[in-house]
Amino acid sequence: MAFLADALSRVKPSATIAVSQKARELKANGRDIIGLGAGEPDFDTPDNIKNAAIEAIRRGETKYPPVSGIVPLREAIAAKFKRENNLDYKPAQTIVATGGKQILFNAFMATLNQGDEVVIPTPYWVSYPEMVLLCGGTPTFAETTADNGFKLKAAALEKAITPRTKWLVLNSPSNPSGAAYTEAELKEIADVLLKHPQVWVLTDDMYEHLTYGDFVFKTIAEVEPRLYERTLTMNGVSKAYAMTGWRIGYAAGPIELIKAMDMIQGQQTSGACTIAQWASVEALTGPQDFIARNKAIFQGRRDLVVSMLNQARGITCPSPEGAFYVYPSCAGLIGKKTASGKTIDTDETFCSELLEAEGVAVVFGSAFGLGPNFRISYATSEKLLEEACTRIQRFTASLS
């Protein structure tokens, strides 16, 4: 009898975590490494949020919280959805978890039976299909292309849906591509979903506040109220509020689903860190002006990276609407050789050789289900981004 569960054979380690770990190891060994794999802002958590956590400690808010979250945070979440997304949720329809990953995992665990299918557009965040597999479901994929902005089109969604489809996962703005859906684009997707009443929508809005230019963020239940009763709207404080390490994600949806997720969480981790929850109350209800300032910095970084990558031989890089990633193609380099004679046969090889030759750590696109591409996180200083892009230009120019 094998000791480890069979489920482990169905999943792969996170490629994004692996790249960050590799970069840390090389740095520890003395290499000059620029790591562009991590999906977290380089900004510090605002002081008012830190102070709210300190005050919570001083008040003695150090006991077990309710499984679904402290009441003030659930009230703040409901108010946020009303204020920013025109969605009416009662606090009882919300749930707080230890990061967005736990929200996703609990939703899948609460709803998936063996053979149930989950449609995931490519490219996708690396954890989506692995979570589905761990929960007994079957991930199925709807392809997007650079020509359509890496956005799911109605025809591709229609083709991907079967009688076994239970969920569509929709991530806007997207990790890894930065693509964000307009109201009209969401309406086209919604029109398909209305024809398939068995399909629910799990909308991952974690990068909601990081959109650029005149782009206006919308979420699907806001665009199509008829989907309200089968949509789980997920968000969190990690990206916009620079609170990745605080580990707070949240969601709102139909009460039956929220109760099921609460039951799973109660047997799993119980409530998320109480002190982090009080900090999140301040994040959602306190000053929001820093978000616009940070967003302007991110937009400047995006423009720098897109411009420099498009000057690199064999690379094409679209300019995304949101998040803090770009997803350039390295198709023009496939078949080229490095100075040492190694053939660039895949995007994974490209990223491996780039790291070896120039010390720039990026994530290969095939890990996200669509290549030959690679993902760069521009959540670091302009100085480092400029140096990294210069190294990429030098590496691509050296290929023959």
Side-chain angles (χ1 to χ4, degrees):
M1 181 175 63
F3 178 66
L4 295 178
D6 292 344
L8 291 180
S9 67
R10 298 196 294 269
V11 300
K12 304 183 295 289
S14 167
T16 53
I17 292 175
V19 166
S20 297
Q21 180 60 31
K22 178 68 172 176
R24 282 191 291 267
E25 290 171 358
L26 290 170
K27 278 187 178 180
N29 290 331
R31 286 285 308 274
D32 175 18
I33 301 297
I34 302 176
L36 302 179
E40 63 178 346
D42 57 321
F43 307 124
D44 198 10
T45 303
D47 286 342
N48 64 303
I49 298 173
K50 293 182 189 175
N51 290 334
I54 293 167
E55 288 304 314
I57 293 170
R58 289 178 174 152
R59 289 197 310 271
E61 305 280 6
T62 56
K63 307 299 183 186
Y64 287 131
V67 172
S68 289
I70 60 174
V71 170
L73 181 52
R74 297 177 81 186
E75 290 175 341
I77 290 165
K80 173 262 183 282
F81 279 125
K82 179 62 176 176
R83 178 180 70 248
E84 297 181 352
N85 308 113
N86 198 31
L87 292 173
D88 288 306
Y89 290 112
K90 297 180 175 64
Q93 290 177 272
T94 68
I95 188 168
V96 180
T98 305
K101 272 188 174 179
Q102 189 176 26
I103 293 288
L104 292 159
F105 195 94
N106 288 353
F108 291 144
M109 182 63 72
T111 57
L112 293 179
N113 294 310
Q114 198 71 35
D116 286 346
E117 296 175 354
V118 177
V119 174
I120 303 170
T122 62
Y124 47 73
W125 181 42
V126 294
S127 292
Y128 293 145
E130 310 307 321
M131 289 181 182
V132 171
L133 288 165
L134 280 170
C135 293
T138 301
T140 62
F141 303 103
E143 292 188 1
T144 72
T145 66
D147 290 341
N148 59 33
F150 298 117
K151 299 180 194 180
L152 178 65
K153 296 301 181 183
L157 174 58
E158 186 73 66
K159 183 179 178 181
I161 291 174
T162 76
R164 297 305 304 268
T165 303
K166 187 166 278 186
W167 285 100
L168 164 68
V169 177
L170 200 59
N171 179 209
S172 174
S174 161
N175 174 6
S177 71
Y181 291 83
T182 65
E183 183 173 4
E185 289 165 340
L186 287 173
K187 186 66 172 66
E188 290 180 4
I189 292 170
D191 287 344
V192 174
L193 293 170
L194 289 172
K195 296 189 288 184
H196 301 277
Q198 87 279 10
V199 183
W200 285 50
V201 191
L202 203 165
T203 177
D204 180 349
D205 297 348
M206 194 64 75
Y207 296 90
E208 169 186 2
H209 292 295
L210 298 177
T211 60
Y212 307 118
D214 57 0
F215 186 90
V216 178
F217 175 84
K218 295 287 183 180
T219 194
I220 195 163
E222 175 186 16
V223 170
E224 180 47 82
R226 286 177 290 177
L227 292 177
Y228 174 91
E229 289 296 338
R230 48 187 172 112
T231 299
L232 182 69
T233 304
M234 190 200 88
N235 213 311
V237 297
S238 60
K239 312 300 182 180
Y241 298 94
M243 293 176 68
T244 50
W246 298 77
R247 306 308 302 130
I248 296 293
Y250 60 81
I255 193 71
E256 180 183 12
L257 175 59
I258 297 299
K259 286 180 177 179
M261 293 168 63
D262 173 270
M263 182 176 68
I264 288 169
Q265 191 163 303
Q267 297 295 348
Q268 185 187 57
T269 59
S270 294
C273 171
T274 310
I275 297 153
Q277 289 196 55
W278 280 106
S280 299
V281 172
E282 175 64 20
L284 293 181
T285 62
Q288 308 288 302
D289 55 322
F290 65 90
I291 294 177
R293 291 197 301 270
N294 291 350
K295 189 164 78 165
I297 293 170
F298 275 136
Q299 182 167 338
R301 293 172 178 178
R302 178 201 65 171
D303 294 344
L304 169 69
V305 170
V306 168
S307 174
M308 291 191 72
L309 288 178
N310 279 320
Q311 296 172 52
R313 175 175 171 244
I315 289 178
T316 56
C317 184
S319 184
E321 294 92 347
F324 40 69
Y325 309 105
V326 292
Y327 200 64
S329 168
C330 57
L333 301 173
I334 300 300
K336 302 291 186 185
K337 291 186 183 296
T338 67
S340 64
K342 182 71 177 284
T343 299
I344 305 295
D345 54 352
T346 65
D347 49 23
E348 185 172 5
T349 303
F350 169 80
C351 295
S352 176
E353 292 301 308
L354 174 64
L355 179 58
E356 181 64 31
E358 293 286 354
V360 178
V362 300
V363 188
F364 62 96
S366 297
F368 303 101
L370 185 67
N373 293 74
F374 58 101
R375 189 194 78 172
I376 283 180
S377 167
Y378 52 85
T380 192
S381 71
E382 282 200 11
K383 181 180 178 181
L384 281 177
L385 290 170
E386 187 168 358
E387 173 62 20
C389 290
T390 298
R391 294 184 189 187
I392 292 171
Q393 289 176 352
R394 187 165 61 215
F395 176 67
T396 60
S398 73
L399 299 175
S400 59

